[in-house]
Amino acid sequence: QVQLVESGGGLVQAGGSLRLSCAASGRTFTSYDMGWFRQAPGKEREFVAAVKWNGGNPSYVDSVKGRFTISRDNAKNTVYLQMNSLKPEDTAVYYCAARYHIFAEYHSWGQGTQVTVSS
């Protein structure tokens, strides 16, 4: 299993930007597809973005397309989520997740980082 630690959350005004980071432990980071999820109060956790083990095929939920960018630096065992043009509805706890590249489900999760966007 890989251990994940998120950072970079905070309070930002609408229209602002934040970059989330997720540092992974272990020496097999390149074996894992990585994803970002979020959970707002009273709502179910939802998929936000994902990237393949080799940095390819980035995918996004429709509501963040054109505003968020997922990337990874395999040399640093880190995945990022650059969030621009933030909206109040982006307010949530953001979680980093990993899945072994041949698996369908994410099996390792970080503790989450709070993102709050004020109007």
Side-chain angles (χ1 to χ4, degrees):
Q1 289 252 354
V2 60
Q3 280 72 50
L4 306 172
V5 178
E6 302 98 334
S7 61
L11 173 64
V12 64
Q13 287 189 329
S17 298
L18 284 174
R19 187 175 82 155
L20 304 183
S21 299
C22 173
S25 66
R27 296 177 292 177
T28 58
F29 183 63
T30 52
S31 297
Y32 297 94
D33 298 337
M34 299 298 296
W36 286 97
F37 293 74
R38 66 187 179 186
Q39 187 166 20
K43 294 188 177 181
E44 300 214 344
R45 185 168 58 193
E46 70 167 346
F47 167 80
V48 176
V51 65
K52 291 290 189 182
W53 62 274
N54 59 358
N57 287 17
S59 59
Y60 302 91
V61 66
D62 285 348
S63 60
V64 309
K65 285 180 180 177
R67 300 188 297 122
F68 290 12
T69 303
I70 188 170
S71 62
R72 65 190 293 162
D73 185 338
N74 286 343
K76 296 183 178 179
N77 282 12
T78 302
V79 63
Y80 304 97
L81 186 68
Q82 178 67 43
M83 305 186 295
N84 298 330
S85 301
L86 282 161
K87 304 175 181 180
E89 51 264 43
D90 295 318
T91 295
V93 177
Y94 283 71
Y95 297 92
C96 175
R99 68 179 180 195
Y100 191 63
H101 66 90
I102 61 173
F103 291 170
E105 301 294 329
Y106 288 89
H107 51 75
S108 296
W109 296 84
Q111 82 289 350
T113 187
Q114 177 71 46
V115 171
T116 303
V117 184
S118 63
S119 57

